[in-house]
Amino acid sequence: MAVGLDGIIAAQTRLSHVDGEAGRLILRGHELETLAGQWRFEQVTALLWRELVPHAADLSADLGRGRMRAWQHFSPLLPTLNGMSAIEGMRFLLALLPDEPADASLLLAAAGVAMATSIRSAQNLPALAPDAALSHAADLLRMLRGKAGDAAEVKAFETYLVAAADHGLNASTFTARVVASTGAGLVSAVVAAMGALKGPLHGGAPGPVLDMLDAVGQADKAPAWIDAAIARGERLMGFGHRIYRVRDPRADVLKAAVNALRGRNNRIALAEAVEQAGLVALARHKPGRRLDVNTEFYTALLLEALDIPRAGFTPVFAAARTAGWIAHACEQQLDGRLLRPASEYIGPMPQAVAASEWSEAG
Ligand code: ACO
């Protein structure tokens, strides 16, 4: 039995391929490195949605209109977000959308608006209305920070959105496909996927990566801090991956984007020291298992450099990954087969239960 479903092929997809041995991420025939930093998020989404979502060829206007519609829908509800964390607020807002009629671009646009408004609400800041004339990346960055980004910031944020748009059959995408396979709609699939993304073993890691950098404090303290954390049996956030046996290619793309913003972030030297100490310690701790940095490590640095609060990192991830969740849900619906694995029963059989209960009673 494959504990954790390791190595099990549960779906065929034309959307993305994660080559864990070579450290490659391929999106519909394109290497991530040729897309990130060059393509706009709208273009990568159109690539993923091709032949799956009607009218997906040019999404700029649709996403702009979708953000305006989502804002009309959500803005009267914003007081109800009081006291919710950013990820809970985003999940709550998206769950209010109807499954029918299915509208993929409205849902993706709404994910962006829900992300920005719930992050601001969790900080007790007023929400900002969208600007349909801006690109999706520029408008989301403006809405969530309350001020427009300059060209370098928008490019860095767009690089993040593209790098996070899709990644094979990860836990949240698998969740989206399971829900889609039941015939439930796109909103149900995306809201369920958000639940899976939230955990620290998946999309909840980048905030804790910054907590770790805070705790380490100075570059020269990294080796001792990391060794002590490993000795306590803790997992180092931002290290390790179920599929990659080499470096996660998204880590390099995101590190390059952080470096392009270097003047605005003074933690890159600390992060590099923690990365180095982590690699040394994990090689010693698990000699047979290559554990390298994953996407979340430099995601944390990049989003921090863009002045995005750490409690907002997972919602930002969700807003980007919604593009991939929708593509996978649509692809799964075409397949038409219910995803329903089996479990191995390891509990007692009725006769044994009856006998033992009888002897306990006696
Ligand atoms: N720190 C310390 N030890 C680790 C780490 C880590 N980051 N990652 C794996 N290990 C250890 C495990 O404890 C395990 O040891 P054990 O056999 O003594 O229990 C061993 O290495 C092998 O690990 P696996 O079981 O093969 O790892 P798995 O595939 O289950 O986990 C995961 C992958 C969940 C990402 C893991 O590496 C982890 O917890 N990392 C930290 C959290 C994190 O960065 N999450 C973001 C992932 S990226 C994403 O989802 C977008």
Side-chain angles (χ1 to χ4, degrees):
M1 195 193 63
V3 179
L5 301 181
D6 300 33
I8 300 291
I9 294 176
Q12 287 189 315
T13 183
R14 292 185 162 76
L15 297 170
S16 57
H17 173 53
V18 180
D19 182 339
E21 298 300 327
R24 292 169 79 193
L25 168 58
I26 295 165
L27 298 169
R28 284 222 168 188
H30 299 260
E31 299 277 359
L32 172 67
E33 290 82 351
T34 64
L35 301 177
Q38 332 256 348
W39 285 40
R40 296 198 15 229
F41 179 68
E42 288 86 338
Q43 294 172 302
V44 173
T45 302
L47 178 75
L48 290 170
W49 289 5
R50 199 177 61 207
E51 292 159 16
L52 293 169
V53 173
H55 317 298
D58 181 9
L59 287 169
S60 303
D62 278 357
L63 288 181
R65 265 194 305 275
R67 291 195 301 278
M68 302 308 288
R69 280 179 62 197
W71 172 255
Q72 281 163 5
H73 197 71
F74 293 153
S75 51
L77 301 163
L78 297 183
T80 56
L81 298 182
N82 259 345
M84 287 190 204
S85 69
I87 189 73
E88 287 162 353
M90 179 179 177
R91 193 181 56 193
F92 167 79
L93 289 176
L94 286 185
L96 294 169
L97 296 175
D99 266 323
E100 301 297 338
D103 187 335
S105 48
L106 174 62
L107 177 54
L108 179 59
V113 176
M115 172 274 283
T117 51
S118 60
I119 289 173
R120 287 184 69 78
S121 166
Q123 298 171 281
N124 292 319
L125 295 170
L128 263 73
D131 178 346
L134 293 177
S135 73
H136 198 60
D139 204 20
L140 297 196
L141 191 58
R142 186 190 63 83
M143 277 193 287
L144 85 88
R145 298 192 315 178
K147 63 176 176 27
D150 62 26
E153 289 176 323
V154 172
K155 182 166 183 183
F157 190 59
E158 184 123 49
T159 300
Y160 172 73
L161 295 180
V162 166
D166 197 37
H167 196 249
L169 201 61
N170 56 81
S172 58
T173 300
F174 180 51
T175 304
R177 289 190 79 120
V178 170
V179 175
S181 83
T182 70
L186 290 182
V187 172
S188 295
V190 164
V191 172
M194 275 192 70
L197 184 78
K198 179 173 176 279
L201 299 189
H202 189 10
V209 167
L210 291 189
D211 297 340
M212 176 171 68
L213 296 188
D214 289 346
V216 172
Q218 287 168 232
D220 59 350
K221 299 214 165 105
W225 192 95
I226 294 285
D227 286 349
I230 296 279
R232 288 193 299 270
E234 290 174 14
R235 287 192 174 214
L236 301 180
M237 290 294 125
F239 289 84
H241 199 274
R242 176 62 60 84
I243 305 291
Y244 291 118
R245 289 295 171 269
V246 292
R247 196 176 170 78
D248 183 333
R250 298 168 297 176
D252 286 329
V253 161
L254 296 172
K255 187 175 182 184
V258 182
N259 273 323
L261 291 171
R262 200 164 193 145
R264 298 154 216 237
N265 188 297
N266 56 15
R267 305 240 284 179
I268 190 101
L270 172 61
E272 282 172 347
V274 169
E275 176 183 356
Q276 201 43 43
L279 295 181
V280 170
L282 288 171
R284 206 172 42 233
H285 175 58
K286 292 276 155 206
R289 172 84 157 85
R290 174 105 191 258
L291 294 166
D292 212 319
V293 288
N294 59 49
T295 183
E296 304 291 47
F297 195 80
Y298 284 103
T299 289
L301 269 277
L302 181 59
L303 298 185
E304 181 183 53
L306 290 171
D307 293 329
I308 296 172
R310 62 187 72 175
F313 290 179
T314 308
V316 173
F317 188 178
R321 184 56 61 82
T322 298
W325 291 333
I326 290 172
H328 279 270
C330 292
E331 192 181 49
Q332 186 65 42
Q333 282 166 350
L334 285 182
D335 176 88
R337 178 119 182 116
L338 176 71
L339 280 173
R340 203 293 188 196
S343 51
E344 181 189 7
Y345 179 66
I346 55 168
M349 294 308 280
Q351 274 180 338
V353 170
S356 72
E357 279 170 2
W358 178 253
S359 70
E360 274 167 29

